[in-house]
Every structure is written in structure tokens, then in C-alpha cells.
Amino acid sequence: MNGFEFISESIRVSGDDRVDFDSQTCGCKPKKEGDVTCLDNRCMNYVTQIECGRCGPTCGNKRLTNKQYADLEIRDTPPKGQGIFAKQPISKGSLVGEYLGEIINAKELERRVADVNESGSQHMYVMALQGKSYVDSRFKG
């Protein structure tokens, strides 16, 4: 896809309305030394599908932080551009990858939607975050 840039972290483009993704401390403790924690219903963050942020080294609920994604590859998919494909089967409920792009505020989103409408494009890839922030992965992701 012309003009698309692959990035490894989202980029804040507009707005000062910071989104606080800091999770609550879960308090999980290993049953015995070396046990992995935070991967079952005893962990409040795991249950609410929030990644732990301040746990110790035994925490297993840091898949985004540790970039533990499925093995993926990007291939050309004419005439649509490019697509993402799994190199191996992905189990139900597994993390595939992180949605990345440009983090924008509501005003910038309105401007970009207007641009899309004016250009006649049918492609807009936006995800709402907490507050009034959005991730637009149309040009970077």
C-alpha cells in the first residue's frame, strides 16, 4: 500500500487528553516460587481483560508489554493492498497482535473523516480508546 508506514508503537499525533492505561495492582502472589501468576480468574486484571502493569516478574498477564504476539506475516493482496496472515494456527482466545496507529483526538478524527468523505475513499480504520482519543491505522500501523 502506497504511503503506509509500519510502526512498532502507536504515535500520538494530536490532543493533550492523555489516556491512562495504568492498570490496578492486582496483588496476585505465586503459590510457590517460580509459579506464573495473573493468568486465571484469581487475577482481577485478567478477568476484566486488562493487562497488568505493576506486577512482579512472575506476572504472565503482560503479553502486549512483552510483545508476545502470534507469528504473523504481511503479504500483498491485490487488488486490496496488503493483508496480515497467521503463519500457524491461532488458538481461540489467544492474543493476535496489538492494534497500532496514530493516536488522535476527536477534532482530528472529525477532520480525517471529512477528508475521507471528500476523497470518496471507502477505507478508514479507527478504534476508539478511553476518553476522546482514537487510533487511526490508515497510514501508520
Side-chain angles (χ1 to χ4, degrees), residues 8-9 21-23 50-56 59-69 95 97-98 100:
S8 59
E9 291 184 10
F21 294 111
D22 234 5
S23 62
I50 295 172
E51 182 164 294
C52 292
R54 294 173 272 182
C55 293
C59 179
N61 187 20
K62 293 184 180 181
R63 295 177 297 168
L64 291 172
T65 299
N66 296 331
K67 300 190 182 303
Q68 295 171 321
Y69 311 136
L95 176 67
E98 182 176 6
L100 300 173

Side-chain angles (χ1 to χ4, degrees), residues 21-37:
F21 294 111
D22 234 5
S23 62
Q24 299 294 317
T25 301
C26 64
C28 296
K29 304 280 187 245
K31 288 184 179 181
K32 62 182 183 201
E33 190 171 327
D35 279 355
V36 177
T37 59

Side-chain angles (χ1 to χ4, degrees), residues 24-95:
Q24 299 294 317
T25 301
C26 64
C28 296
K29 304 280 187 245
K31 288 184 179 181
K32 62 182 183 201
E33 190 171 327
D35 279 355
V36 177
T37 59
C38 308
L39 285 178
D40 59 30
N41 290 341
R42 292 175 288 180
C43 177
M44 181 62 78
N45 289 334
Y46 180 86
V47 169
T48 56
Q49 297 185 354
I50 295 172
E51 182 164 294
C52 292
R54 294 173 272 182
C55 293
T58 62
C59 179
N61 187 20
K62 293 184 180 181
R63 295 177 297 168
L64 291 172
T65 299
N66 296 331
K67 300 190 182 303
Q68 295 171 321
Y69 311 136
D71 192 10
L72 306 171
E73 68 181 346
I74 297 165
R75 299 192 306 232
D76 288 333
T77 55
K80 297 290 186 180
Q82 294 179 310
I84 191 163
F85 297 85
K87 290 183 174 181
Q88 59 197 31
I90 299 172
S91 302
K92 180 180 177 178
S94 294
L95 176 67

Side-chain angles (χ1 to χ4, degrees), residues 83-121:
I84 191 163
F85 297 85
K87 290 183 174 181
Q88 59 197 31
I90 299 172
S91 302
K92 180 180 177 178
S94 294
L95 176 67
V96 175
E98 182 176 6
Y99 193 83
L100 300 173
E102 296 176 296
I103 301 173
I104 58 175
N105 62 17
K107 185 175 181 179
E108 177 65 12
L109 176 61
E110 285 180 30
R111 189 192 68 71
R112 290 182 182 201
V113 168
D115 286 349
V116 166
N117 290 333
E118 286 177 22
S119 72
S121 174

